[in-house]
Every structure is written in structure tokens, then in C-alpha cells.
């Protein structure tokens, strides 16, 4: 499944599979968005699958946002496939609950 990014009332929803083959485009898109915005909300609820490379890239975006005094909310704690991958990488602390 191809990766899609949709803006749903200010929440950027990622749909499809996020992996080493497509994570660069997602990273570049959100890196620029974080530069232009104070708060960015990213939803991983509709991801079918994520790999280790993609988890690391999202963690890197989170750390960059913090270093720039920006807020990156990453929603996806309720998606068991996604939360398991973040737990495996010991990065589950960056995932938020689905309710803001």
C-alpha cells in the first residue's frame, strides 16, 4: 500500500505502510512543517505497518522538534502494531493517546 499523508483538521494522518523505502519523504515533509509551525500533530492510527527505520526517523523528528522549542504530538498508542514497534525500540514514551 502506498503511503498517504492527509490533513484532517490540523491532524496529519499517515495511511499505509511506513518503512525504509518511503520514510525519507515523510521525514523531509515533517521536518519542513515543524520549521513553519509551533505545534504539529501526527497520527499513526491508520498505519498498517512500520519498521525499525521508520520508528527511528519519527523519534528523530520528535527530538528535532523539542530542540527547536516546537511541539510534535504523535498519536498512535492505541494502534497495537505501531505501539509494539515503539516499545521494542524503547521509544514508546513519544506516543500519545488518541485523545488530545
Amino acid at each position: 500500500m502506498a503511503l498517504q499523508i492527509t490533513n484532517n483538521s490540523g491532524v496529519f494522518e499517515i495511511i499505509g505502510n511506513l518503512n525504509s523505502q518511503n520514510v525519507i519523504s515523510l521525514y523531509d515533509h515533517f521536518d519542513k512543517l515543524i520549521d513553519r509551525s509551533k505545534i504539529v500533530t501526527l497520527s499513526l492510527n491508520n498505519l498498517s505497518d512500520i519498521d525499525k527505520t521508520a520508528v527511528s526517523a519519527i523519534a528523530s523528528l520528535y527530538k528535532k522538534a523539542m530542540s527547536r522549542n516546537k511541539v510534535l504530538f504523535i498519536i498512535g498508542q492505541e494502534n497495537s502494531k505501531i505501539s509494539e514497534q515503539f516499545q521494542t525500540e524503547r521509544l514508546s514514551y513519544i506516543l500519545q493517546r488518541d485523545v488530545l
Side-chain angles (χ1 to χ4, degrees):
M1 174 182 240
L3 187 70
Q4 292 180 307
I5 302 171
T6 60
N7 184 347
N8 186 6
S9 301
V11 176
F12 292 90
E13 295 184 25
I14 311 304
I15 302 165
N17 295 321
L18 186 57
N19 53 47
S20 59
Q21 294 178 341
N22 57 18
V23 74
I24 301 282
S25 59
L26 177 119
Y27 184 91
D28 290 343
H29 178 79
F30 282 97
D31 189 37
K32 292 173 187 169
L33 189 60
I34 290 168
D35 278 341
R36 296 189 313 256
S37 306
K38 291 183 181 182
I39 299 173
V40 176
T41 303
L42 174 64
S43 173
L44 306 179
N45 286 332
N46 294 315
L47 275 181
S48 303
D49 199 19
I50 190 168
D51 70 7
K52 181 179 180 174
T53 303
V55 170
S56 295
I58 291 173
S60 178
L61 283 171
Y62 179 81
K63 291 172 186 173
K64 273 191 174 186
M66 287 181 51
S67 73
R68 296 174 185 168
N69 293 319
K70 308 288 180 109
V71 177
L72 176 60
F73 287 111
I74 304 169
I75 301 170
Q77 197 175 45
E78 308 293 323
N79 184 330
S80 61
K81 275 190 172 182
I82 304 313
S83 63
E84 284 175 19
Q85 277 289 18
F86 276 83
Q87 285 175 353
T88 299
E89 299 303 316
R90 299 179 189 238
L91 294 167
S92 60
Y93 66 92
I94 69 174
L95 290 179
Q96 304 289 318
R97 294 193 68 215
D98 294 352
V99 180
L100 293 177

